[in-house]
DNA sequence: GCGATTGTCAACCCGATGGTTGAGGATCAG
DNA sequence: CTGATCCTCAACCATCGGGTTGACAATCGC
């Protein structure tokens, strides 16, 4: 059963152009869901807890949670009548890995930024050290 | 004018819960657009070049490119009758930074993975260092 | 058993998205 | 000037997404 876990993790790290990314990025493309993830980062939350901060019906919030589940970002355990949601950041690692693939295209800009700051530093009168 | 560039870059790195992220993640949530970015990583491409690999009309591809532009991922320069598109990875850095914020929630799992691999390594007969 | 609580489900509304086609504005080649 | 090329724009269509409401299943407290 640890094998399944391993396969799941490795799959997340490798499969970079899959439809999985559609679900992940789609889930992240909504401020409400990002705020929910932010909340879940503090610990497990019930559906009601997650819905509370928003001016929307419980059903609407439930849909958002389902979107997060479809992306694999949230897992749910049912305890009695309350549904306990917890964060699963694995898919976020996938998204992170995908964006990292393009890192060389912005690091050059950051190097430029650093150079500009250094230059500006040189032109401004030094205030000691 | 370098000030504007600086402000743009810094803004990208800081503004983490802005509606900008909506556009960025939404742009990334489509396989067609991700493939376009992949192509643009090779160098500047015309609209026709970007549309060619896909079984869709030029107008449809044009809409995808507009979505990428809205997210700031693509900038366009018009040369005669052809529109030259080039990658701007700055917003990708923003997305990268956002996901990084949750890194501690998956690194633990990766540590588990590493531990499992190490353990497996120890149990398999070593083939000479 | 009964009422209150938690949450899903289904139907519905409406704006956004992704696709098409057709028309047309520029520009390049001749 | 003329025709071909590149691309956008507008109209249209189907589907999706996010929101609502109302009904209902299941559980907890009593």
């Amino acid at each position: 059963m640890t094998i399944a876990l391993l396969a799941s993790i490795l799959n997340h790290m490798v499969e970079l152009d899959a439809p999985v990314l559609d679900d992940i990025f789609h889930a992240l493309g909504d401020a409400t869901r990002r705020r929910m993830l932010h909340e879940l980062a503090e610990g497990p939350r019930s559906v009601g807890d997650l819905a509370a901060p928003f001016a929307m019906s419980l059903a609407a919030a439930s849909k958002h949670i389902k979107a997060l589940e479809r992306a694999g970002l949230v897992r749910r355990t049912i305890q009695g009548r309350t549904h306990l949601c917890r964060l699963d950041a694995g898919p976020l690692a996938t998204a992170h890995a995908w964006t990292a693939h393009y890192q060389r295209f912005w690091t050059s800009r950051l190097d430029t930024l650093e150079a500009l700051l250094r230059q500006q530093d040189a032109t401004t009168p030094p205030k000691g050290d």
Side-chain angles (χ1 to χ4, degrees), chain A residues 8-65:
Chain A
S8 152
I9 297 178
L10 292 177
N11 216 24
H12 273 151
M13 303 305 295
V14 170
E15 197 175 356
L16 286 188
D17 49 3
V20 185
L21 282 174
D22 289 16
D23 290 336
I24 298 173
F25 283 127
H26 172 257
L28 298 182
D30 184 291
T32 299
R33 292 191 284 265
R34 288 197 302 275
R35 286 197 56 192
M36 283 181 168
L37 289 179
H38 185 74
E39 182 68 23
L40 284 172
E42 303 295 321
R45 293 287 187 270
S46 76
V47 172
D49 291 341
L50 288 176
F54 302 102
M56 68 177 68
S57 69
L58 194 63
S62 177
K63 284 189 188 179
H64 282 295
I65 296 175

Side-chain angles (χ1 to χ4, degrees), chain A residues 69-121:
Chain A
E69 275 187 298
R70 180 154 37 91
L73 289 162
V74 161
R75 280 193 309 158
R76 172 192 317 226
T77 63
I78 303 181
Q79 275 187 355
R81 63 183 165 180
T82 79
H83 296 206
L84 238 266
C85 302
R86 79 174 55 82
L87 175 65
D88 181 354
L92 283 183
T94 307
H96 194 74
W98 192 89
T99 54
H101 188 260
Y102 295 86
Q103 197 159 7
R104 62 187 186 96
F105 292 106
W106 73 72
T107 45
S108 61
R109 292 185 66 195
L110 287 186
D111 290 349
T112 305
L113 169 61
E114 192 182 330
L116 285 173
L117 287 178
R118 203 182 308 279
Q119 185 177 350
Q120 186 171 346
D121 225 34

